[in-house]
Amino acid sequence: AIPSDVIRLDISIYIHAEFARIKHAYHVNGIWPCEEDVDRLKELTNTLFIFISTAVKYVDDPVENNPVNRLRILLHEDTTTHLPEHTQSPFARLDTLYLEVLRTAFPRMPSPQMMASIKMVLGSVVLLRDQLAPKDLEGLLKLEHRTIRRTLQRFHSLLVIPKDDQGIIHIIHPSFPDFLMDPLRCTNTAFLVNP
């Protein structure tokens, strides 16, 4: 096992490098993030590299195009109301982040038809043993062309969506399907996947 102080150092280096890249890419002025925010990120990460990796993708959302606001939401809104009941779990903070990503992807609940489409597509992605290209998944589910991209575009911090129809959809971390299928972890039942 890697010592926790080595993991913390790696996470610190990663945070500084990624936020410098985001700051440059979005032309953020001034000192950002402040040291207090960096310290809070380190505290939330608690040696789970997947947490900081997902948090960076959440902040660096090209659809939202506002990393300063995304970081503020992640660090300063009261997310304790979204904490799953099993807060002793090693994934409690990660589950909270997953819930926040889902909540901000859809701040207003989509129509029942759209929610059914989201659950069908997301459920298919997390349940398939073999990952598929968007066009192949559309064929399997008998969906119109580009439906998969439209449906999954807000999940880029959780899934890798290929730029073309030949690439494969990848789940970034294996804990995400586990999260979506566990009602104790995914407390937002709108996104809960029943295998």
Side-chain angles (χ1 to χ4, degrees):
I2 301 171
S4 60
D5 58 331
V6 172
I7 295 172
R8 283 188 177 90
L9 178 61
D10 286 348
I11 287 172
S12 180
I13 291 168
Y14 180 79
I15 289 171
H16 284 90
E18 285 299 299
F19 278 90
R21 178 189 60 76
I22 292 168
K23 180 179 178 172
H24 177 75
Y26 290 90
H27 309 287
V28 177
N29 295 321
I31 297 172
W32 181 85
C34 66
E35 278 307 309
E36 180 182 298
D37 288 349
V38 171
D39 290 344
R40 177 77 176 125
L41 273 173
K42 290 178 194 175
E43 176 188 320
L44 290 172
T45 298
N46 193 27
T47 71
L48 274 178
F49 196 84
I50 184 57
F51 179 93
I52 194 59
S53 173
T54 304
V56 164
K57 286 177 176 48
Y58 172 79
V59 171
D60 186 19
D61 184 345
V63 175
E64 182 73 18
N65 197 24
N66 189 343
V68 174
N69 188 50
R70 296 288 271 204
L71 181 61
R72 183 191 55 74
I73 290 169
L74 185 64
L75 295 179
H76 300 295
E77 280 200 0
D78 183 14
T79 56
T80 57
T81 57
H82 305 297
L83 269 175
E85 291 178 17
H86 68 294
T87 54
Q88 300 303 319
S89 163
F91 292 110
R93 290 285 182 198
L94 184 59
D95 292 351
T96 302
L97 179 60
Y98 285 157
L99 288 167
E100 182 64 20
V101 169
L102 294 174
R103 186 184 70 77
T104 56
F106 297 97
R108 291 184 311 258
M109 195 50 71
S111 69
Q113 297 84 2
M114 181 60 180
M115 199 64 233
S117 178
I118 291 167
K119 281 185 82 160
M120 180 179 60
V121 170
L122 200 53
S124 298
V125 169
V126 300
L127 291 172
L128 284 172
R129 296 210 182 263
D130 297 322
Q131 300 299 305
L132 297 175
K135 70 177 180 72
D136 296 330
L137 187 55
E138 287 163 349
L140 178 69
L141 299 174
K142 297 180 179 18
L143 298 172
E144 292 179 19
H145 182 63
R146 310 242 358 123
T147 300
I148 299 296
R149 289 185 189 292
R150 284 192 311 270
T151 303
L152 298 178
Q153 73 180 347
R154 295 179 183 209
F155 295 103
H156 97 280
S157 58
L158 304 171
L159 304 169
V160 175
I161 314 300
K163 299 215 182 292
D164 59 39
D165 283 337
Q166 306 309 314
I168 304 283
I169 299 168
H170 292 284
I171 298 165
I172 293 176
H173 195 268
S175 68
F176 183 58
D178 295 339
F179 162 80
L180 282 179
M181 292 184 281
D182 186 341
L184 295 176
R185 294 179 64 191
C186 183
T187 56
N188 184 338
T189 57
F191 293 97
L192 184 65
V193 173
N194 183 341

